[in-house]
Amino acid sequence: MCATILAEERERAAAGIARRLYVSWQDADRRSFVPVGVLTWASDGYDFRYLSAARDDNEFRPFIGFPDLGRVYRSTELFPFFENRLMPRSRPDYPAYLAALGLPGDADPFEVLARSGGDRATDTIEVVAEPLVDDSGYATCHFLVRGVRHVEGADDAIDSLSIDDLLSTEPDVDNPYDDHARYVVTLDGAHVGYVPSYLTAFLARAAEGGGEEAIEVRVVHIGERSGPSHFRLLCRLEVPWQLHEAPFAGSAFEPLVAEGFDPQP
């Protein structure tokens, strides 16, 4: 990784802003999300490139606007494919949308996409931000608690919480879909939902190194019961990360065209 990229990553990490967002696609048969692309922020704009699964999965079809798996796409503005996954700034409820994401009114589109996941109803795409690792050896990220409406008593438990309350996570050993699935749990033992699946393998590795007690989760924003359940509870995650690898590591996250290399003339 070149010095310029490293410098940009340190600057973004210091500000608590992701530089790299992974795009996951849901396989219709397996119902699991597979990382197929990566959107990267740089000082001069954005680039998008596909990951190995986009080539290896026979069911996957390239996204609109990105037809060539072996190309690096560049733009000074956020690509329409991603811009269309954000709430328009002109909507009267846009400030409330940012508040639900724990973001200031001047948050840039990349920040909003990183925090919201670009979620759309009946969608098969999920955009996720890799946890940021700082110089002190901690990895942090924000996440929206999943599955609140499927957990009995979750709404009552969430209503009893306050901003900055400490929560914990607990393995869901009976989950048939994710071997690393985790509940989000209050300190008095009430389940309020699930950790997003894209973070569970990362947390399993973190727990192996520092134990379950090393995983710290705090409440950032509590949404209204009448609002979308997806925005009911926003949390901040912090774990020690001493491993000499990125939080999202392995062949599944390797781009088909390496960062810093562009085959286009």
Side-chain angles (χ1 to χ4, degrees), residues 20 27 39 41 52 83 87 97 108 142 144 152 157 179 204 212 215 262 264:
R20 191 178 293 106
D27 182 282
L39 175 69
W41 175 94
S52 58
E83 184 71 38
M87 178 183 287
Y97 172 66
D108 69 52
H142 289 76
L144 291 159
E152 185 176 355
D179 292 338
E212 293 290 339
I215 301 172
D262 189 343
Q264 305 303 309

Side-chain angles (χ1 to χ4, degrees), residues 3-57:
T4 301
I5 292 174
L6 285 172
E8 289 174 350
E9 289 205 347
R10 291 192 187 100
E11 182 180 347
R12 301 281 287 188
I17 303 171
R19 179 181 177 272
R20 191 178 293 106
L21 304 181
Y22 288 95
V23 185
S24 295
W25 163 78
Q26 188 178 39
D27 182 282
D29 294 327
R30 298 191 299 269
R31 304 297 298 169
S32 59
F33 278 92
V34 179
V36 293
V38 58
L39 175 69
T40 305
W41 175 94
S43 57
D44 58 350
Y46 307 90
D47 74 48
F48 175 81
R49 61 195 74 203
Y50 284 104
L51 306 179
S52 58
R55 174 196 61 201
D56 299 338
D57 195 308

Side-chain angles (χ1 to χ4, degrees), residues 89 94 98 103-109 111-112:
R89 290 174 179 266
Y94 187 74
L98 290 184
L103 290 173
D106 61 351
D108 69 52
E111 290 180 85
V112 179

Side-chain angles (χ1 to χ4, degrees), residues 245-261:
E245 62 182 14
F248 292 169
S251 59
F253 295 97
E254 290 295 328
L256 290 175
V257 181
E259 205 166 332
F261 174 75

